[in-house]
Amino acid sequence: MSETLYPRFSDGEYERRFRTVQAALEDQGLDALVIFGWSALGRALQADVHYLATYLGMRDNYVVFPRQGEPALFVQSYNHVPNAAEVSNLDDVRWGGTDSGQTLGNELVRLGAHSVGVVGMMPYQHYDRMRAVAEGVSFRDVTSIYRRIRLDKSAEEIEWLRRGAAHTDAALEALSDQLRPGIREYELAEVIEHAYLSGGGLTTFYYLASTPMSSPNRCVPAQVLSTRMLEAGDVVSCEISASHGGYAGQGLRTFTVAADPTPLIADLHRVAVDVYWAVRRAIRPGATHEDVWAASDLIADSGYAIRDSLVHGFGIGLLPPSIRTRQTTQDDTPWVFAEGQTIVIQPNIVTPDETAGVQTGDLCVVTADGCESLHRLPIDLIRTG
């Protein structure tokens, strides 16, 4: 199968990944990894499988990666195997069988594995059956170790993320052009998807919420588009991720519909933009979560709060860190930024009662010189309609 039919990385990129994972197996004293992926969140939860097998399957899928020997991709369902074999960079692609846990257990016995690392939220039924079949094998959750490997992006990965960001920008531009009174929220799904599907982009997700600026009652984009019809004087906030081969951008913007912003919406967005740039300037190799906290103190100083996280790792799928403001933090795990990490900076500035809010931000990459956006659209508050 010609590689031009489906996007793939270079042989050198896959060799780099395999060496890195094999080194981690050596370091952890493991004989193999069992890596789980499933189709949730626009198949972004196939990310751990995709990293080694370049496959975004529709059901549960596994990669068995031995410390010595060739990795194998196990695919559900049976009729999905032919296409998976065409898409994947792995030579060994098989059906996962009627019982994935049994298939995995049999493979580990065949490999002679004694100590195995598990990656991902593997279903209990699969894990229980795998453990029973591979009697005597010890299993350990190494998800966090594996995902730390995925944090550091190569030049090829960043280029794929730029393509995903371009698809995402196209969707944001389409919204800017087509938001108007009289269109329902759910109709905007066609506007969003049409903008990138014709260019080969894939849907990861899109969240959106509209509310009257004069009497707002929604402060953060919604995951389910409603039947509400847009009206003049609305404010619309959105969060969109479209991908190239699973590598998605993430763009967050706020629009007003056929009206200038009210003083409240204008002030919320002013704070969002100021915080975005303060956080972006603060992030560079060696910067920490505390630098993000300091850069975001303006939110509380202005009398506002946040509902969404302020900075999170991304690409492909959600990754560490997840950082909020110091006033709203839910996890004080230390974090140090490093070159090659990709993060989303996304100030979702809301009123204390959470009746009104705006959202803005971009997917960025940490470089030796600081933090660079992978998107080309400005983070302005946009009047539409």
Side-chain angles (χ1 to χ4, degrees), residues 4-295:
T4 60
L5 293 181
Y6 301 98
R8 286 190 191 172
F9 293 103
S10 69
D11 290 344
E13 172 65 12
Y14 292 119
E15 290 168 4
R16 179 190 72 83
R17 296 180 184 193
F18 287 12
R19 286 195 305 270
T20 304
V21 173
Q22 286 165 345
L25 287 169
E26 289 278 356
D27 182 65
Q28 296 296 316
L30 297 172
D31 298 315
L33 290 181
V34 171
I35 303 166
F36 170 68
W38 61 306
S39 61
L41 198 61
R43 291 184 277 173
L45 293 188
Q46 297 283 0
D48 294 322
V49 164
H50 184 282
Y51 187 71
L52 295 175
T54 321
Y55 181 60
L56 295 169
M58 296 300 295
R59 292 189 58 193
D60 49 284
N61 300 280
Y62 289 92
V63 168
V64 175
F65 190 96
R67 185 165 62 182
Q68 297 180 338
E70 295 300 314
L73 170 64
F74 293 90
V75 175
Q76 290 291 359
S77 296
Y78 184 73
N79 59 307
H80 294 188
V81 175
N83 184 240
E86 293 174 347
V87 173
S88 178
N89 57 289
L90 298 184
D91 293 328
D92 190 352
V93 179
R94 306 180 222 166
W95 179 39
T98 57
D99 184 330
S100 292
Q102 179 168 337
T103 300
L104 294 167
N106 288 335
E107 178 68 4
L108 295 174
V109 170
R110 186 188 73 80
L111 291 170
H114 299 288
S115 180
V116 174
V118 177
V119 175
M121 295 184 290
M122 183 179 186
Y124 170 79
Q125 294 84 353
H126 293 185
Y127 175 73
D128 193 50
R129 182 61 175 158
M130 176 180 71
R131 186 175 57 178
V133 172
E135 186 178 2
V137 175
S138 64
F139 294 94
R140 179 155 51 99
D141 180 15
V142 293
T143 303
S144 62
I145 294 171
Y146 182 82
R147 289 182 181 169
R148 291 291 299 220
I149 292 172
R150 293 207 294 110
L151 281 175
D152 298 325
K153 301 296 190 297
S154 68
E156 288 188 46
E157 288 182 288
I158 291 171
E159 175 56 30
W160 279 37
L161 287 168
R162 287 189 193 277
R163 296 183 188 184
H167 290 310
T168 304
D169 286 344
L172 292 169
E173 287 181 311
L175 279 182
S176 180
D177 290 340
Q178 299 192 47
L179 280 176
R180 64 186 186 278
I183 190 169
R184 296 188 185 275
E185 281 189 10
Y186 68 75
E187 293 179 280
L188 295 172
E190 182 179 5
V191 173
I192 291 167
E193 292 197 13
H194 180 76
Y196 56 77
L197 290 180
S198 59
L202 299 175
T203 300
T204 300
F205 63 79
Y206 42 86
Y207 308 152
L208 181 145
S210 65
T211 190
M213 287 189 284
S214 60
S215 55
N217 58 17
R218 306 173 87 182
C219 69
V220 67
Q223 289 70 56
V224 180
L225 305 190
S226 78
T227 62
R228 184 179 182 274
M229 185 175 289
L230 270 60
E231 300 176 354
D234 280 353
V235 61
V236 177
S237 61
C238 71
E239 179 176 2
I240 298 176
S241 282
S243 82
H244 170 77
Y247 278 71
Q250 191 166 131
L252 305 100
R253 296 293 187 275
T254 302
F255 309 88
T256 63
V257 181
D260 292 332
T262 60
L264 174 59
I265 295 301
D267 195 55
L268 287 166
H269 200 272
R270 175 191 62 80
V271 173
V273 170
D274 288 348
V275 170
Y276 170 85
W277 284 110
V279 170
R280 186 167 152 187
R281 285 191 294 266
I283 294 177
R284 59 187 58 252
T288 71
H289 63 290
E290 292 183 341
D291 294 307
V292 172
W293 286 352

Side-chain angles (χ1 to χ4, degrees), residues 307 309 322-333:
R307 160 59 71 167
S309 60
S322 180
I323 304 174
R324 300 177 62 81
T325 62
R326 72 173 86 241
Q327 294 83 9
T328 64
T329 187
Q330 299 164 341
D331 181 2
D332 58 2
T333 303

